[in-house]
Structure formats: C-alpha cells, structure tokens
Amino acid sequence: MSDIDSTGNGQFGRRDRAPSGDTATPKSPMDVLEPKEVPPPPKRSKSSRHGFVVLLNFVMSGLVFATLVLCGIVLIGKSVFEKEGPLQTAQTVLIEEGSSVAQISSKLIANGVIGDEFGIGINDLIFRLGVRAHRSQTSLKAGEYLFKPGMSMYEVMETIRSGKGILHKVSLPEGLTVFQMFKRIEENEILEGDLPEELPPEGSLMPDTYPFQRGTTRMEIVERMTKAQNEFLQSVWERRIDGLPIKTPEEMVILASIVEKETGRADERPRVASVFINRLNLGMRLQSDPTIIYGLFGGEGKPKDRPIYKSDIEKETPYNTYTIPALPPGPIANPGRAALEAVANPSRTDDLFFVANGTGGHVFAKTLEEHNRNVARWRAIEKQLKEEAAEAEEEQETSQ
C-alpha cells in the first residue's frame, strides 16, 4: 500500500521523513536544560574605566562614610549634652561680666558643674558646641547662679541664659532718713561701687526690701528707690480726697513722714493722719515730737542715750512743730506707701490729740481735757514700766 493517501496527506500514526539534507541530532532533557556553553559577560565601557569616574566614586563613598560618622558623633554629643550631670550637691558659681563661652565652660568644670571624666576636655568641647548649636553664645548672662544636683549641660546653659541668678536683698524700713538708708546700703558687702557724693533730698527714697543679684551697684539701688518713690507719689497724689490742707505732692511727703515717725502700726496711720489734717484745717500747731528730734539732730538721728528735755520742746528750729505754725520745710524721714496712703485718704474723725497707751499704740481725744486725762494715765503707765525695769535689773545683778 502506498504511504500517502489519495489526498496527499500523511497517514495517521506514520512519521514524516525529514527533509533531505537535514540531519537531526537527538538531545536528552538534561542537554536542553543545561547548555554546554555560557555566554561571556558584557565588556565594561571605556567611560567606566576612566580615572575621573573612579576618583568620583571614591570621593562619594568617602563623603557618605564621613556623613555617617558625623551623624554618630552628633547623636553621641547630644546625648552627653542632655544627660544628667555629675553634681552631687548644689553649687554656686559666679559668672563675671564679659566672660566668653570658653571661660564659662572652664569655670563650670572647675566647680564640678560639668564633668571632665577623661581629663582631655571632651565635655568642655561638647558644652561649647552645644551652646553654639542652640545659638546661645551671645545670650549667656553674668550673675551668681545656684546649680542643683544632677543638672545636665543643657539645663546649665538654660539657667545662665535666663539670667535668673541668686537674689540677695537689702532691707530699708519705713521711717529711716536718707542718711540712715545710705549707711545701710554702704554696709551691704555684696553691693558694688560707691554711693552718690551728695545725699538726695529727704523723703525722695521709697522704703522697701530690694532684691538684687551679685554685681548690682549701690548707685543702681538708689536709682530704683528714687524711681519707685516718684511713681508711687504721682499715683497716690492723683487718688487723694478733696479738701485736704496740702497743696503739693511735696507737702504730702512732709506730712506722711511725720505720720510715719509717730506710729509704726498700719491700722493707726489713717487716724494719726486725721489728727494732723484736722489741726492744719484749724490752724493749730502739729506739736509732733519727731519734728523736735529732726530739727536738733538732722538725718543722723538722736543718740539712743539722749532723752528729750523740756527745753528741747521750746527750742526753735525750722522743723520744730511746737514752735512753727504749719508744716516744716521738708520731710523728716522717708515715708512708706501706707503713710502716704493715710495722708491721701485719712480717717474721718474730730480727733485733735493722741498719746501712747503703753501697748505700742495710741489713745485719741477730741478735747484737751480728755487728752490731759490720757496723758496722766500714760505717765502712770510709764512710771510703772520704769519701776518694773529697775526691779528686773536689780534682780539680775543680785543673781550674778
């Protein structure tokens, strides 16, 4: 039978012959999956082998490495700058005016506020760089600072940058004269510099307790006192009641200084002021003992062992209100705020007299007759107090 049917197609199940001239080589599955020859890698271009490209690659690699190292150093430095410090107990450090960051850092290390574990200045460098990183190199302020235990470099920097150093105080009570105030300011060992050569006018300084930092000058304290007095006097003058027999702020200070010297009790000042206001309205002499003393001894004050004699009362001085018919020519002390307020707004009374009651206060009277009885009572109390004091002194001497 023929291999080809009548249609010219190969019979089913019969394999066609290979074309002539084609020699087929049989291959195993392994030969198909694993070719015998591996193609060679592509050749590098000439540009990649150029020297500049090689150098650029090296530089870029170096920059990346340096950046990583620098970031590590910054993170370590930041950690040291913000970690707890070495102080075990509170430490006071004085930063002088004009100190550089390096000088401040050295002083902090010397006082143990900043550690120096390795002795090679690493923490000194970290503190200076930290201050620079926070742009605070020109913001650190002179002063005396108290650093608490465990404060980090960052907290130390913030403390110095704030300028909130240790506050000292100078106390200048109400009723002191300018001379006496200047003596207290002069005796303060922390204040610096000299006082003005000339004393300011009596009554021109505001009594108060003034806080200050080390490095403050005595002149600055005087300027603060003068400013405080001027500002308060202007304020209280504007708030005075109508009908007062004082015409100027200066007269208010004069009368307030007398009130200040007559009583140290705040609750009595408005009533004492009312007595003097009533007397001025009636044209009566003020008859204030402190004006006798100021007229005799001035701002230096009466010696403690010097009593007031009866002859002193009659001695004429510009300040003696037993002999002059009105206010003295100037204040006899520096009145405080309460005394000025009392004169600006005195109690509404008909009182014309007052005398000590033996308990630190005064008893007031509207008439001379009533006043004389109060004086007699005070004399008896005064005599009893002297006798008791003498007995106590005698018992003390006996026991010795």
Side-chain angles (χ1 to χ4, degrees), residues 116-135:
D116 190 21
E117 297 87 352
F118 306 104
I120 55 176
I122 292 179
N123 285 352
D124 172 58
L125 179 62
I126 290 175
F127 180 78
R128 287 189 284 152
L129 291 177
V131 170
R132 185 177 295 274
H134 285 83
R135 298 180 180 179

Side-chain angles (χ1 to χ4, degrees), residues 244-307:
L244 293 177
I246 49 177
K247 307 303 180 186
T248 65
E250 291 73 23
E251 288 186 351
M252 176 177 283
V253 176
I254 293 172
L255 185 54
S257 72
I258 297 174
V259 172
E260 190 72 75
K261 295 299 290 185
E262 284 285 3
T263 180
R265 289 180 49 168
D267 61 322
E268 278 194 350
R269 290 190 181 105
R271 193 167 183 181
V272 170
S274 75
V275 170
F276 293 129
I277 294 292
N278 293 338
R279 280 176 164 260
L280 288 173
N281 283 330
L282 296 173
M284 297 174 64
R285 291 186 175 92
L286 298 185
Q287 295 182 324
S288 170
D289 289 354
T291 63
I292 300 173
I293 297 172
Y294 192 87
L296 293 173
F297 303 101
E300 296 185 25
K302 179 181 73 67
K304 291 183 179 180
D305 58 349
R306 165 58 157 90

